[in-house]
Amino acid sequence: MKGSNKLFYLLLFLMFISCKKEINNTTKQSEIRDRYFNLERIGWKSRVHIQTVDDIAFAATEVPIQYYLLKVLGKENVEVVDSLYEENKRERVLEFTFQQNEEKDLLTKDFTGMDYTDAVKYMSFGLEKDFYVVTSKKDTIVCSGVTFERNYKIAPYQRVLLFFSGIDPNEKIQLVYNDYLFRKGILKFMFKDPNTQIAL
């Protein structure tokens, strides 16, 4: 009789632990969903900084890593998304857009001084060296990669994605662009609020 009581209490204890884990997992998923919902509600790309030099607008936008993770992986398993974010939270992705005021194609010789094909090659392979980030601790982080989004003259702008590594997620950053392509000089874009503080 005593042996069956011990077995009963052991099973009851194991059931209690199992239920507690399930409640914790549900609570964690709910917290993550709320955080991502708040990010989506206030706008994933809410930090846009625009500078216009002559007739060209340069726009820099900080995009949270979670945006891309959710876009690729979907919203079904937010714990996986959150886990991948934790592994990559020292990465920063910035969208950078070039647009002429009259919506002319900026890659023509009129704006770049080079052949169209060479301008496309520069956007694809040479632009990386023109960007760097300065942190609030005065560290300089070089651009680790650029992806040129070809729009084949459909959209009135040119856009690149800039990748930076090794930046504390709570760090305020300043993007510096030394414009060799359009010869407009050095442009600076200050991002004051780190991504992790968006959640309301």
Side-chain angles (χ1 to χ4, degrees), residues 65 69 83-92 167:
I65 297 288
L69 292 172
S83 174
L84 285 171
Y85 166 70
E86 285 299 318
E87 289 177 26
N88 295 287
K89 67 184 177 184
R90 296 183 64 83
E91 307 294 319
R92 294 279 179 103
I167 302 172

Side-chain angles (χ1 to χ4, degrees), residues 164-181:
F164 298 91
S165 298
I167 302 172
D168 184 330
N170 298 312
E171 191 78 41
K172 296 176 183 179
I173 61 170
Q174 180 180 52
L175 176 67
V176 179
Y177 173 49
N178 195 352
D179 181 24
Y180 292 109
L181 186 61

Side-chain angles (χ1 to χ4, degrees), residues 2 40 54 66 188:
K2 275 189 174 179
E40 193 170 25
D54 296 331
Q66 299 97 314
K188 297 178 181 180

Side-chain angles (χ1 to χ4, degrees), residues 102-124:
E102 296 174 8
E103 298 185 352
K104 293 179 181 175
D105 189 349
L106 282 170
L107 297 182
T108 61
K109 197 168 200 162
D110 296 341
F111 296 103
T112 63
M114 58 178 79
D115 291 333
Y116 196 88
T117 305
D118 292 335
V120 169
K121 285 179 185 175
Y122 191 85
M123 289 286 280
S124 301

Side-chain angles (χ1 to χ4, degrees), residues 21 47 52 89 112 138 148 151 156 159 162 183 196:
K21 279 184 181 179
R47 295 190 191 94
T52 303
K89 67 184 177 184
T112 63
K138 304 299 182 207
F148 175 39
N151 61 36
R159 181 173 28 219
L162 309 169
R183 301 168 306 283
T196 53

